[in-house]
Amino acid sequence: MTPVLDFFARTDPVFGALIATTFTWLVTAAGAGLVLIVPNMSRQWLDAMLGFTGGVMVAASFWSLLNPAIEMAERMGVPGWLPAAVGFAMGALFIFALDKVLPHLHINFDVSRTEGVKTPWHRTTLLVLAITLHNIPEGLAVGVLFGGVAAGIPEATIGGAVALAIGIGLQNFPEGIAVSMPLRRAGLSKWKSFGLGQASAMVEPVAGVIGAAAVLFMQPILPYALAFAAGAMIYVVVEEVIPETQQAANTDIATLGFIGGFIVMMVLDVALG
């Protein structure tokens, strides 16, 4: 066992989830920090990195969440498809509801295409809220998996939980860039663009702790919780991440980024999980 895995194996699961999701937040901050030293970034790079983000999220949804949920359910004597289908649907509907209520604006969209309830909020606030919406299921997924490890569920391994945290962190780096750069182009100062960019991921530690604590108190819900996180992540990818990469003539680059992200997350999960 590597020192990192050994550390998390000896750590309280809720605290471990907090550390892991704090890591993913800090990686977002590192990505957002590029706005302080890079004057601008081409749309091609941004679309490629957003594609990478989508690939990681889709791979994580199956390898880290749905597959373990199915295996857990079958071991508990429940049809494997049932918790996966119910949890997946509930996760997607949860984000769907937030999407309809929370005012937000996708990164590459015109302000006239603001979603959620009507509000006079400034474009920058709406952009940050859109990425915050992305980060809720990501933090929740990491927390739920750490909770499963603490509950002693065989299918939830510390390696898999750490792999998921690393994968989410990797895709958070371009996500931080994708928030801070448009804010800078919109006229905000470098430091304000950085501050808002990193703030979009502050919800991840909160969601991670909630996810881990919920599983510890209600162990039978773990397969549903894993599938819930997967459904939420897939909804975000299909409804927001992929459309954001299709607004310019960079669809091939974005698709290759997606494939790269999927491969990276799959390798991480199989190698460590």
Side-chain angles (χ1 to χ4, degrees), residues 1-13 15-20 146 158 162:
M1 183 176 290
T2 67
V4 173
L5 296 184
D6 185 59
F7 168 79
F8 278 106
R10 298 171 181 272
T11 302
D12 175 82
F15 185 61
L18 176 62
I19 294 174
F146 269 95
I158 193 65
V162 171

Side-chain angles (χ1 to χ4, degrees), residues 80-101:
W81 57 267
L82 182 60
V86 172
F88 192 89
M90 291 177 64
L93 289 173
F94 173 72
I95 298 299
F96 171 79
L98 284 182
D99 197 57
K100 295 303 179 185
V101 174

Side-chain angles (χ1 to χ4, degrees), residues 9 14 47 78 90 92 138 171 185 187 235 265:
V14 176
D47 285 342
V78 178
M90 291 177 64
E138 295 168 10
Q171 63 95 32
R185 287 199 299 270
Y235 185 93
M265 186 65 236

Side-chain angles (χ1 to χ4, degrees), residues 32 35-36 124 179-197:
V35 76
L36 302 175
T124 55
V179 181
S180 61
M181 290 294 179
L183 293 178
R184 178 60 176 154
R185 287 199 299 270
L188 272 67
S189 69
K190 290 182 179 180
W191 282 103
K192 191 165 185 179
S193 298
F194 163 72
L196 290 173

Side-chain angles (χ1 to χ4, degrees), residues 51-52 54-56 58-60 62-63 257-267:
F52 180 88
V56 168
V58 169
F62 175 74
W63 295 101
F258 181 98
I259 298 299
F262 188 98
I263 292 171
V264 167
M265 186 65 236
M266 179 179 63
V267 170

Side-chain angles (χ1 to χ4, degrees), residues 28-258:
T28 304
L34 283 186
V35 76
L36 302 175
I37 55 177
V38 178
N40 202 352
M41 185 168 290
S42 73
R43 179 66 181 273
Q44 285 185 334
W45 273 106
L46 288 174
D47 285 342
M49 289 187 292
L50 280 175
F52 180 88
T53 291
V56 168
M57 292 174 74
V58 169
S61 295
F62 175 74
W63 295 101
S64 299
L65 301 171
L66 280 176
N67 192 47
I70 293 170
E71 292 177 354
M72 287 176 204
E74 292 174 344
R75 184 175 52 79
M76 294 174 181
V78 178
W81 57 267
L82 182 60
V86 172
F88 192 89
M90 291 177 64
L93 289 173
F94 173 72
I95 298 299
F96 171 79
L98 284 182
D99 197 57
K100 295 303 179 185
V101 174
L102 183 69
H104 63 284
L105 176 66
H106 297 181
I107 293 170
N108 294 321
F109 284 30
D110 184 80
V111 71
S112 63
R113 299 174 69 179
T114 299
E115 297 184 5
V117 298
K118 300 302 180 183
T119 174
W121 293 351
H122 195 272
R123 174 187 174 88
T124 55
T125 303
L126 297 172
L127 285 170
V128 173
L129 286 175
I131 299 299
T132 301
L133 191 63
H134 289 195
N135 289 324
I136 292 173
E138 295 168 10
L140 185 64
V142 174
V144 165
L145 210 50
F146 269 95
V149 173
I153 307 297
E155 294 82 3
T157 66
I158 193 65
V162 171
L164 179 59
I166 293 173
I168 295 298
L170 287 175
Q171 63 95 32
N172 273 3
F173 186 83
E175 213 167 67
I177 299 171
V179 181
S180 61
M181 290 294 179
L183 293 178
R184 178 60 176 154
R185 287 199 299 270
L188 272 67
S189 69
K190 290 182 179 180
W191 282 103
K192 191 165 185 179
S193 298
F194 163 72
L196 290 173
Q198 62 83 29
S200 65
M202 291 177 68
V203 70
E204 288 195 9
V206 177
V209 169
I210 291 174
V215 169
L216 282 177
F217 285 109
M218 298 175 287
Q219 293 183 23
I221 72 166
L222 181 56
Y224 296 90
L226 289 172
F228 180 97
M233 289 176 69
I234 293 296
Y235 185 93
V236 166
V237 172
V238 175
E239 202 275 335
E240 298 190 22
V241 176
I242 291 177
E244 287 167 10
T245 67
Q246 307 299 304
Q247 301 299 306
N250 303 316
T251 55
D252 289 344
I253 294 173
T255 301
L256 291 174
F258 181 98

